């Protein structure tokens, strides 16, 4: 399925039905009287966050969504039926933006969350509403109220416990394939990953978390270079980060500085997220080179990187265990010392 994380759509709520102008015509009721019913309310436009979706592809081929107009009133004081609503089903983590693509109107960050985007127009009153001692036979009724309309943007920010960050060809997709059942495209050239991939890590039946493989960043990504900020938004939803560094490149310290610089420049709290630093592709390095590269990273990052290989699997279980510990902290299951605490105040996206 094609990954689509943003879409522009047009939505319109239904007009209200018109009130009826009608008079009684029953036999043996000579004076009759008004009996026109009210029009029905127009349908509304709703948006609902549902589980099981991870793309906005449904809004690629249909961009216009219009709720039904309310039914008109009829004689014998029969009110018109309400127009059918339109419900937009979106993945959890979808934001609703105004047409300017900047103003956030809604954040659908919980499964089952449902919000009204546009209310349907009220139905018009029938002529029975206007009868009185002065005007006993009103020959007019109200039209239905017009519905609302607007263009909006839907932007999906994937919700994951851990996000994978790194330069292109750092081995993120290989690591995701080694750590989960996900099967992302893997090749020996940069920018193999053009869309985020999600993988479920199963350490045990009770130890599960989601990893998001974010397309590689390059220097200047926060200003639009490469894939730009298109996918940095998905990192916002991750509670913690695994920063993978390609151990086979010449300057691992510079690679670390580039990614940290882009996270700082993008803002939105990315630089403050807990980061697990890992030196990847150690299967291609001898013991002396591993130590030298690790020392370089430790000097620039201020902490010892973990040594892993997505190809051979070396160090992967240890890295996943460290990631699981961070997930438990952000969920509020354990404190910074590793002690189990009350679940109140757990992390939410």
């Amino acid at each position: 399925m094609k990954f689509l994380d943003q879409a522009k759509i047009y939505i319109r709520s239904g007009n209200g039905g018109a009130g009826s102008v009608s008079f009684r015509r029953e036999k043996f009721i000579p004076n009759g009287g008004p009996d026109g019913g009210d029009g029905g309310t127009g349908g509304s436009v709703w948006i609902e966050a549902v589980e099981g979706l991870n793309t906005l592809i449904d809004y690629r081929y249909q961009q216009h969504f219009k709720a039904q107009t309310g039914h008109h009133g009829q004689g014998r004081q029969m009110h018109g039926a309400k127009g059918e609503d339109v419900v937009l089903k979106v993945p959890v983590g979808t934001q609703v933006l105004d047409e300017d693509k900047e103003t956030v109107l809604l954040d659908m960050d919980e499964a089952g969350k449902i919000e009204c985007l546009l209310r349907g127009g009220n139905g018009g009153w029938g002529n029975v509403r206007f009868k009185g001692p002065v005007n006993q036979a009103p020959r007019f009724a109200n039209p239905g109220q017009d519905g609302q309309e607007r263009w909006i943007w839907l932007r999906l920010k994937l919700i994951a416990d851990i996000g994978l960050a790194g330069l292109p060809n750092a081995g993120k997709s290989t690591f995701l394939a080694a750590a989960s059942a996900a099967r992302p495209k893997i090749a020996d050239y940069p920018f193999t990953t053009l869309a985020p991939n999600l993988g479920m890590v199963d350490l045990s039946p009770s130890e599960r978390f989601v990893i998001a493989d974010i397309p590689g960043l390059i220097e200047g990504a926060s200003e639009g270079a490469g894939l730009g900020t298109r996918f940095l938004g998905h990192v916002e939803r991750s509670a913690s980060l695994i920063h993978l560094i390609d151990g086979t490149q010449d300057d691992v310290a510079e690679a670390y500085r580039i990614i940290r610089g882009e996270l700082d420049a993008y803002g939105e709290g990315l630089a403050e997220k807990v980061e697990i630093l890992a030196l990847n592709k150690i299967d291609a390095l001898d013991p002396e080179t591993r130590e030298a590269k690790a020392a370089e990273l430790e000097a620039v990052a201020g902490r010892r990187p973990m040594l892993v290989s997505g190809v051979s699997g070396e160090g992967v279980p240890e890295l996943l265990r460290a990631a699981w510990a961070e997930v438990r902290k952000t969920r509020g299951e354990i404190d910074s010392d590793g002690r189990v605490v009350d679940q109140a105040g757990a992390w939410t996206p």
Side-chain angles (χ1 to χ4, degrees), residues 5 155 163-173 189-196 212-236 238 241-246 249 254-267 270-271 273 275:
D5 66 341
R155 183 185 180 189
L164 290 178
L167 290 172
N169 224 28
K172 300 184 297 298
S173 296
Y189 54 83
F191 292 112
T192 306
T193 303
L194 298 177
D213 172 21
I214 309 300
L217 306 175
I218 64 173
E219 189 170 7
S222 59
E223 299 175 355
L227 295 176
T229 60
R230 174 72 183 273
F231 299 114
L232 273 172
H234 298 290
V235 187
E236 294 179 35
S238 301
L241 300 177
I242 293 178
H243 187 170
L244 291 181
I245 303 292
D246 182 359
Q249 60 188 339
E254 180 61 19
Y256 175 81
R257 293 192 189 97
I258 289 174
I259 297 300
R260 292 304 306 177
E262 294 309 313
L263 296 179
D264 288 335
Y266 181 78
L270 297 189
K273 291 184 181 295
E275 179 188 66

Side-chain angles (χ1 to χ4, degrees), residues 11-82:
I11 55 176
R12 193 185 196 288
S13 59
N15 296 335
S20 171
V21 176
S22 174
F23 294 90
R24 301 179 66 178
R25 292 290 186 269
E26 290 93 345
K27 190 177 182 181
F28 306 120
I29 304 180
N31 294 327
D35 68 349
D38 300 339
T41 303
S44 301
V45 180
W46 299 79
I47 186 168
E48 180 182 8
V50 299
E51 293 180 329
L53 297 178
N54 57 9
T55 176
L56 295 173
I57 189 65
D58 293 339
Y59 303 97
R60 168 65 177 83
Y61 304 104
Q62 181 182 355
Q63 291 88 31
H64 293 75
F65 299 87
K66 301 177 181 179
Q68 187 181 32
T69 297
H71 294 261
H72 301 315
Q74 300 180 44
R76 298 188 178 181
Q77 298 189 34
M78 291 190 291
H79 300 322
K82 180 182 182 298

